[in-house]
């Protein structure tokens, strides 16, 4: 079930990789497990007209399907989130006094399939943190972190590098807890001495409201460009990636419709739809 929501006119916004989160598909989710024979009937563009099955989980609503009726094909793009979206707050203030206003955030729905960005790995606790401010990146100086569970990941124990920034697809599950937030960690990690690393502030404790289940995190292929390399020029294209309607990514265009994503040298991105004939 999909419900397109937009923030109210007077809400402020936080940009992820230069993309303002002004309009996003806010969804109501149910996790459905499919036996192999049903799974083979469904692909990424299928619209499911009806599902019959057994309810397994009531908190994170989930079911095992016994029958699936597939309708027309439809395009689907997952929401993009970073650590700040997993803190369980709808309005968060950064620490930079230049940006004293409140900011609006989308919080994931239970069992939402999402694209996670700006995830800087901390080898000490295994959690992912927002990068510290660097140029226009995280100018509001937000602090946020989240923990992960690799039980659904394509690689059970991915080899990740401390201070590298990753992007990956994930399933987000909400945890019912009345526990108090853990105390902030007392040691701050500063990786600014290593030019290839991304500095992050580990004094923020990972929030326990959401657990992020990476699906395709396998180390080097998920590493994104370090924001320490960002300069002030927004006009230069740094990388260009193409995405087809199935969500596959390539440095070369696919035949047919593509989303061409250009990452500029200041960290901002622009996306346009292009048709490639060859």
């Amino acid at each position: 079930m999909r419900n397109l929501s937009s923030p109210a006119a007077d809400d402020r916004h936080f940009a992820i990789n230069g993309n303002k989160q002004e309009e996003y598909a806010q969804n109501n989710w149910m996790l459905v497990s499919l036996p192999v024979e049903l799974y083979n009937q469904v692909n990424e563009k299928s619209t499911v007209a009806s599902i019959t099955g057994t309810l397994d989980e009531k908190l994170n609503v989930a079911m095992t399907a016994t029958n699936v009726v597939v309708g027309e094909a439809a395009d689907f793009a997952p929401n993009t989130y970073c650590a700040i979206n997993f803190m369980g707050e709808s309005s968060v203030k950064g620490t930079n006094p230049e940006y004293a206003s409140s900011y609006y955030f989308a919080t994931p729905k239970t069992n939402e399939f999402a694209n996670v960005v700006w995830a800087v790995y901390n080898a000490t606790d295994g959690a992912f943190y927002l990068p510290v401010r660097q140029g226009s990146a995280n100018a509001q100086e937000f602090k946020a972190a989240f923990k992960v569970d690799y039980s659904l990941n394509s690689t059970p124990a991915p080899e990740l590098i401390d201070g590298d920034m990753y992007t990956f697809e994930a399933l987000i599950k909400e945890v019912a807890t009345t526990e108090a937030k853990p105390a902030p960690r007392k040691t701050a990690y500063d990786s600014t001495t290593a030019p290839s690393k991304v500095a992050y502030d580990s004094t923020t404790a990972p929030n326990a409201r959401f657990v992020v289940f990476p699906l395709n995190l396998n180390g080097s292929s998920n590493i994104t460009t370090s924001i320490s390399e960002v300069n002030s020029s927004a006009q230069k294209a740094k990388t260009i990636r193409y995405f087809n309607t199935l969500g596959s990514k390539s440095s070369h265009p696919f035949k047919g419709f593509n989303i061409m994503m250009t990452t500029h040298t200041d960290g901002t991105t622009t996306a346009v739809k292009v048709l490639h004939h060859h």
Side-chain angles (χ1 to χ4, degrees):
M1 296 173 286
R2 301 184 65 184
N3 169 31
L4 189 69
S5 312
S6 299
D10 59 350
D11 282 322
R12 297 293 297 274
H13 309 292
F14 173 52
I16 296 178
N17 288 354
N19 298 314
K20 287 185 178 179
Q21 304 299 290
E22 293 179 352
E23 187 171 291
Y24 53 92
Q26 185 70 299
N27 301 277
N28 300 311
W29 296 88
M30 176 185 287
L31 179 66
V32 179
S33 299
L34 300 175
V36 173
E37 63 272 16
L38 292 180
Y39 179 81
N40 290 337
Q41 298 175 23
V42 182
N43 63 44
E44 295 92 335
K45 295 197 290 183
S46 296
T47 298
V48 176
S50 70
I51 301 175
T52 307
T54 306
L55 194 64
D56 300 321
E57 266 185 90
K58 293 184 179 179
L59 169 64
N60 291 294
V61 183
M63 67 180 290
T64 298
T66 54
N67 187 45
V68 175
V69 178
V70 178
E72 297 177 3
D75 291 328
F76 174 77
N79 292 328
T80 298
Y81 295 127
C82 68
I84 200 75
N85 298 105
F86 307 135
M87 299 303 282
E89 308 290 339
S90 61
S91 183
V92 181
K93 290 185 179 180
T95 57
N96 186 345
E98 296 177 32
Y99 298 88
S101 302
S102 298
Y103 287 78
Y104 182 99
F105 296 104
T107 53
K109 292 291 187 182
T110 296
N111 287 319
E112 181 169 351
F113 170 66
N115 187 39
V116 179
V117 300
W118 275 14
V120 184
Y121 181 65
N122 180 348
T124 304
D125 62 2
F128 289 87
Y129 289 75
L130 270 182
V132 300
R133 180 185 184 182
Q134 203 139 14
S136 60
N138 197 11
Q140 296 86 353
E141 298 178 5
F142 289 114
K143 297 179 181 181
F146 61 90
K147 293 181 178 178
V148 296
D149 183 320
Y150 293 114
S151 61
L152 300 177
N153 195 43
S154 54
T155 305
E159 295 183 7
L160 307 178
I161 299 172
D162 187 65
D164 273 349
M165 186 159 60
Y166 295 86
T167 296
F168 52 89
E169 293 175 338
L171 179 71
I172 316 299
K173 298 192 81 168
E174 188 169 357
V175 178
T177 177
T178 55
E179 298 172 18
K181 291 183 181 179
R185 300 176 68 236
K186 291 184 169 59
T187 56
Y189 179 90
D190 185 353
S191 62
T192 54
T193 53
S196 63
K197 303 302 178 187
V198 180
Y200 57 93
D201 185 335
S202 61
T203 57
T204 300
N207 188 277
R209 176 172 168 183
F210 294 97
V211 176
V212 177
F213 291 81
L215 302 175
N216 63 346
L217 182 56
N218 54 15
S220 58
S221 66
N222 301 94
I223 296 177
T224 54
T225 306
S226 168
I227 60 169
S228 63
E229 300 171 15
V230 167
N231 65 33
S232 59
S233 171
Q235 304 308 314
K236 299 176 184 175
K238 189 167 192 177
T239 57
I240 296 177
R241 292 287 181 267
Y242 296 88
F243 296 84
N244 65 10
T245 54
L246 296 176
S248 299
K249 180 173 71 172
S250 174
S251 57
H252 302 286
F254 296 91
K255 185 177 181 181
F257 277 106
N258 292 257
I259 298 296
M260 184 176 75
M261 188 78 72
T262 304
T263 302
H264 303 284
T265 49
D266 71 341
T268 60
T269 60
T270 54
V272 294
K273 184 177 280 190
V274 294
L275 180 62
H276 190 73
H277 295 286
H278 303 291

